[in-house]
């Protein structure tokens, strides 16, 4: 039996097809990487989903024959299929403004407490529940979240993988089944919601015409199709006393639990209970993440990130800090101008150079990590001895050190490709090559480069900066 597995990993700014070989340990290779740029049509921000699918097919062809394929992506966004099971239009991007005011209307009609008790989900204006209520559903017979849509195109099989379904606001957090009483109360068609799949279950074999395009045939396996679920599965932890930060465009910061936390305090702190691998709960909060830095770089064409990071390390500490989760930072656009405006709004002098902006962003993000980790510990009662920072942000040494300093805890950085690793390891377990979540994590720890950062900054300075944001 082949020990090669392909991971289709779609992020909010780029996608890639990764190839894993478990013949001797765990070797991961990037086969194809491609940009994921939104498109604007008729005033709406969309994903170029057919362009992404074309890149995926090219990547699978380049990967060669594998034992199976798994697909993960960002959460909440979806495609609608008509009665002929054709896509009705490009999926709308979660950063589009069509859901303005919808969350408030739903809370007013259903009740915020009821919503949280059912789904355990934090309130984010772009959650699927609000997108569907802002959408035109006439003629739609099913809704497929992004990885499920790709899986349908690959295999012809319709379904919804549970870790991503848990981000919709329409899954019962206790039973991990669709919350049909809530769906009915909201007036959404029950038929839109397809049968649920668990990570590790078979999706189906590649369609004949897909196999002809890629040059081989193999099954598609359901993985933790929400990219954070796959990333957390690959956290190289050796016990339960850890927090994680999956850091990329977004930072998802929290702890792994056996049961959801549905207290009034948890709801007030806007913490979410999302489904993880093997019945675990990803108890976390979204922090805006490296999006702020990515948008700053777009505003500075030709800038060199490595040089900016080097210069930022020498800038004055805490000259300006902002709350990275302010709604003003959510849309794309001129991020430096918005950071400057937020500094002026809060009585601070805006940064005076690109390096100073980078310092502001990274210190602010580390403060966001600190708040989320500390609240997760307090609200869940979980002791934390180490923070595992995985994803692309683990390559940012300055951010990793700031996070250790801000949290007052050691930070273990890596693996950078945690999402792809979690994806392929669920496939490998379905093939009988690994036994359980603990062995998956042990394999990651043994095979991937990791770096440990000890807290070294002035704790009082971080306390004062946190108080400024509070």
């Amino acid at each position: 039996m082949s020990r090669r597995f392909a991971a289709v990993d779609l992020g909010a700014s780029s996608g890639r097809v990764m190839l894993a070989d478990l013949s001797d340990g765990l070797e991961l290779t990037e086969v194809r990487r491609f940009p994921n740029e939104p498109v604007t049509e008729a005033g709406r921000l969309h994903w170029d989903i057919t362009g992404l699918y074309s890149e995926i097919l090219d990547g699978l062809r380049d990967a060669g024959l594998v034992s199976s394929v798994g697909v993960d992506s960002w959460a909440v966004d979806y495609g609608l299929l008509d009665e002929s099971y054709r896509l009705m239009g490009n999926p709308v991007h979660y950063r589009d403004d069509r859901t303005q005011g919808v969350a408030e209307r739903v809370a007013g009609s259903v009740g915020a407490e009821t919503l949280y008790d059912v789904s355990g989900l934090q309130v984010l204006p772009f959650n699927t529940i609000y997108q569907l209520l802002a959408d035109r559903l006439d003629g739609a017979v099913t809704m497929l979240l992004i990885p499920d849509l790709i899986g349908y195109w690959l295999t012809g099989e319709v379904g919804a993988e549970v870790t991503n379904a848990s981000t919709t606001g329409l899954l019962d957090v206790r039973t991990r089944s669709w919350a049909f009483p809530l769906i009915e109360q909201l007036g959404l068609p029950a038929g839109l919601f397809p049968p649920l799949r668990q990570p590790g279950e078979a999706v189906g074999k590649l369609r004949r015409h897909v196999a002809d395009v890629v040059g081989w045939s193999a099954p598609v396996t359901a993985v933790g199709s929400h990219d954070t679920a796959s990333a957390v599965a690959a956290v190289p932890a050796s016990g339960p006393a850890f927090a994680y930060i999956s850091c990329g465009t977004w930072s998802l910061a929290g702890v792994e639990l056996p049961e959801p936390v549905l207290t009034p305090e948890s709801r007030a702190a806007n913490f979410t209970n999302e489904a993880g691998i093997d019945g675990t709960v990803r108890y976390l909060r979204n922090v805006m993440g490296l999006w702020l830095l990515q948008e700053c770089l777009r505003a500075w064409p030709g800038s060199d990130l490595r040089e900016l990071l080097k210069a930022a390390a020498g800038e004055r500490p805490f000259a300006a800090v902002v709350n990275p989760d302010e709604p003003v930072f959510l849309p794309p656009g001129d991020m430096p101008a918005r950071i400057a405006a937020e500094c002026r709004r809060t009585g601070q002098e805006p940064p005076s150079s690109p390096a100073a902006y980078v310092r502001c962003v990274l210190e602010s993000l580390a403060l966001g990590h600190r708040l989320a980790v500390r609240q997760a510990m307090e609200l869940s009662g979980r002791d934390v001895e180490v923070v595992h920072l995985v994803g692309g942000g683990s390559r940012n040494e300055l951010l990793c050190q700031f996070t250790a300093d801000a949290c007052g805890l050691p930070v273990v950085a890596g693996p950078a490709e945690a999402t792809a690793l979690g994806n392929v390891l669920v496939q490998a377990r379905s093939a009988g090559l690994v036994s359980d979540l603990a062995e998956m994590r042990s394999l990651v720890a043994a095979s991937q480069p990791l770096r440990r950062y000890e807290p070294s900054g002035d704790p009082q300075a971080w306390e004062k900066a946190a108080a400024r944001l509070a």
Side-chain angles (χ1 to χ4, degrees):
M1 180 184 68
S2 169
R3 291 172 173 251
R4 289 159 42 93
F5 302 89
V8 176
D9 178 20
L10 301 177
S13 57
S14 68
R16 54 265 181 96
V17 175
M18 306 289 288
L19 178 64
D21 192 329
L22 279 78
S23 300
D24 183 18
L26 175 55
E27 183 180 352
L28 190 68
T29 305
E30 183 180 291
V31 176
R32 188 177 187 87
R33 180 180 289 267
F34 42 90
N36 185 7
E37 294 288 342
V39 293
T40 301
E41 189 272 323
R44 284 273 170 259
L45 198 62
H46 294 266
W47 299 103
D48 180 13
I49 194 66
T50 53
L52 291 174
Y53 182 61
S54 177
E55 293 279 7
I56 289 167
L57 294 180
D58 288 343
L60 293 177
R61 184 181 60 246
D62 294 344
L65 179 62
V66 295
S67 291
S68 74
V69 179
V71 184
D72 68 74
S73 87
W74 67 93
V76 307
D77 292 333
Y78 57 86
L80 296 173
L81 303 186
D82 64 17
E83 61 184 5
S84 299
Y85 282 79
R86 293 191 179 97
L87 186 65
M88 295 173 62
N90 263 350
V92 176
H93 196 296
Y94 63 80
R95 294 190 191 276
D96 186 79
D97 63 1
R98 66 175 175 163
T99 58
Q100 284 187 356
V102 178
E104 292 77 8
R105 292 201 299 273
V106 172
S109 62
V110 176
E113 297 86 353
T114 298
L115 287 170
Y116 196 74
D117 188 62
V118 172
S119 71
L121 210 65
Q122 65 185 317
V123 177
L124 293 169
F126 46 72
N127 286 345
T128 313
I129 180 174
Y130 309 127
Q131 291 202 48
L132 285 170
L133 290 168
D135 211 337
R136 298 181 62 180
L137 304 177
D138 296 345
V141 299
T142 195
M143 173 208 73
L144 295 180
L145 297 166
I146 298 300
D148 304 319
L149 177 61
I150 299 298
Y152 167 67
W153 282 343
L154 291 174
T155 67
E157 301 294 333
V158 170
E161 190 277 318
V162 71
T163 67
N164 214 3
S166 73
T167 71
T168 62
L170 297 164
L171 193 83
D172 189 302
V173 69
R174 295 179 177 87
T175 64
R176 297 197 178 201
S177 58
W178 290 119
F180 284 115
L182 174 60
I183 289 167
E184 181 180 357
Q185 185 178 0
L186 292 169
L188 294 170
L192 282 180
F193 301 91
L196 291 164
R197 302 182 180 116
Q198 302 298 321
E201 290 184 3
V203 175
K205 288 202 73 172
L206 294 182
R207 292 178 173 186
R208 181 177 297 177
H209 72 269
V210 175
D212 289 342
V213 169
V214 302
W216 45 266
S217 182
V220 175
T221 301
V223 297
S225 70
H226 183 199
D227 51 12
T228 309
S230 279
V232 173
V235 166
S238 58
F242 70 93
Y244 57 82
I245 302 170
S246 180
C247 182
T249 300
W250 288 90
S251 283
L252 296 308
V255 294
E256 185 176 75
L257 300 175
E259 302 288 341
V261 179
L262 301 172
T263 60
E265 294 79 10
S266 179
R267 181 179 67 82
N270 213 26
F271 264 74
T272 203
N273 296 269
E274 296 173 355
I277 303 295
D278 292 356
T280 57
V281 172
R282 291 176 287 124
Y283 185 62
L284 60 88
R285 190 156 57 76
N286 284 45
V287 181
M288 198 73 78
L290 288 170
W291 167 252
L292 279 75
L293 181 57
Q294 292 164 357
E295 286 296 280
C296 282
L297 293 173
R298 282 213 306 152
W300 305 323
S303 56
D304 185 313
L305 178 58
R306 288 185 181 182
E307 292 302 318
L308 283 173
L309 289 170
K310 192 181 299 184
E315 289 289 326
R316 181 164 64 91
F318 309 114
V321 290
V322 296
N323 178 0
D325 296 326
E326 285 291 341
V328 69
F329 299 135
L330 181 62
D334 188 343
M335 189 63 71
R338 281 179 281 167
I339 291 172
E342 184 64 14
C343 287
R344 286 190 287 269
R345 188 187 72 82
T346 53
Q348 303 175 86
E349 187 72 24
S352 58
S353 68
Y357 273 99
V358 172
R359 178 97 189 198
C360 170
V361 166
L362 296 185
E363 286 180 336
S364 299
L365 185 50
L367 288 167
H369 291 166
R370 165 197 169 101
L371 179 61
V373 168
R374 292 192 173 192
Q375 285 185 318
M377 294 167 61
E378 178 182 350
L379 294 166
S380 69
R382 172 59 57 89
D383 291 330
V384 170
E385 299 171 356
V386 62
V387 177
H388 284 275
L389 195 154
V390 301
S394 67
R395 296 190 179 102
N396 190 318
E397 296 178 6
L398 193 57
L399 175 61
C400 292
Q401 186 61 60
F402 283 169
T403 299
D405 296 345
C407 293
L409 289 166
V411 166
V412 174
E417 299 294 352
T419 299
L421 287 164
N423 179 320
V424 297
L425 285 170
V426 168
Q427 296 180 64
R429 186 172 68 171
S430 294
L433 300 182
V434 291
S435 60
D436 57 16
L437 188 55
E439 186 179 354
M440 289 163 58
R441 287 174 168 161
S442 178
L443 184 57
V444 172
S447 64
Q448 302 301 306
L450 308 174
R451 180 172 175 181
R452 187 179 178 96
Y453 296 81
E454 297 291 344
S456 63
D458 178 2
Q460 292 303 314
W462 285 97
E463 290 283 353
K464 290 177 181 177
R468 282 160 60 186
L469 289 186

